[in-house]
Amino acid sequence: MQVTFFGKKSLKILGGIYATTVVTGIHHMYSIIDMGQIANYGYTYWLPIASAANIAQGGATLAVGVKTKNKKIKSLAFPAALSAMLGITDPAIFGINLRYIKPFIGAALGGAAGGLYASIVGLGATGTGVTGIFGILLHLHSPINYLIMFVIALGVAFFTTLLLGWDESK
């Protein structure tokens, strides 16, 4: 059974706009949604979408790190990508993705694609707070779907960012 807080159609795109709420700081409100869904349904369907968005930020940052020739950007991009894949996106968002804009767009598309998959399969987390790689611990009832969502979000963000490119002269 798939239950969503925002409605099926809107939930699919939330993975694409989640990072924007991180930039503004209002992403902390989602814990309330998580708690309400866990209380009502036993799962939160929001957390996997937030996780897809975080992973996608890491994927876009990883693309910049792989392709750039600038050693300073490369040295910033790789740890920021890992951090985002562990659930802490601030270094990726503010250090790389917003700086060049197009990686941020690539990440939004990756987050939307991962969120779409999570929504279609009804992926829900049994708790709240942990996203990224360790988010699988909240999805032990459906680890394959979590890994597929992870690969989709990361892959779409990575390849979209490479296709969009970015201007490093900024």
Side-chain angles (χ1 to χ4, degrees):
M1 177 174 93
Q2 180 178 356
V3 181
T4 61
F5 183 81
F6 293 100
K8 197 170 185 178
K9 289 183 181 179
S10 62
L11 192 56
K12 293 175 185 176
I13 64 162
L14 286 175
I17 62 171
Y18 177 78
T20 305
T21 67
V22 171
V23 170
T24 62
I26 62 172
H27 64 293
H28 296 290
M29 73 175 180
Y30 296 125
S31 296
I32 296 167
I33 296 168
D34 287 333
M35 295 300 199
Q37 287 186 343
I38 291 169
N40 286 323
Y41 313 118
Y43 294 99
T44 171
Y45 297 93
W46 170 249
L47 192 74
I49 292 169
S51 195
N54 289 348
I55 292 161
Q57 288 294 326
T61 305
L62 184 62
V64 172
V66 167
K67 190 168 181 188
T68 188
K69 303 282 190 242
N70 184 321
K71 289 183 182 186
K72 185 176 178 183
I73 298 301
K74 192 177 285 282
S75 69
L76 175 62
F78 287 122
L82 177 60
S83 175
M85 288 183 223
L86 292 171
I88 307 299
T89 58
D90 297 346
I93 290 174
F94 296 110
I96 300 291
N97 296 346
L98 274 179
R99 180 178 186 176
Y100 300 121
I101 302 299
K102 289 182 181 176
F104 191 78
I105 294 167
L109 293 171
L116 173 64
Y117 177 80
S119 180
I120 289 170
V121 299
L123 186 60
T126 56
T128 186
V130 180
T131 62
I133 293 168
F134 295 116
I136 198 165
L137 298 173
L138 299 174
H139 298 84
L140 293 177
H141 59 285
S142 189
I144 299 300
N145 282 325
Y146 189 81
L147 290 173
I148 292 169
M149 179 272 304
F150 191 105
V151 169
I152 290 170
L154 179 75
V156 169
F158 184 89
F159 290 111
T160 302
T161 300
L162 288 179
L163 288 172
L164 292 173
W166 58 90
D167 180 10
E168 288 189 23
S169 65
K170 294 180 180 180

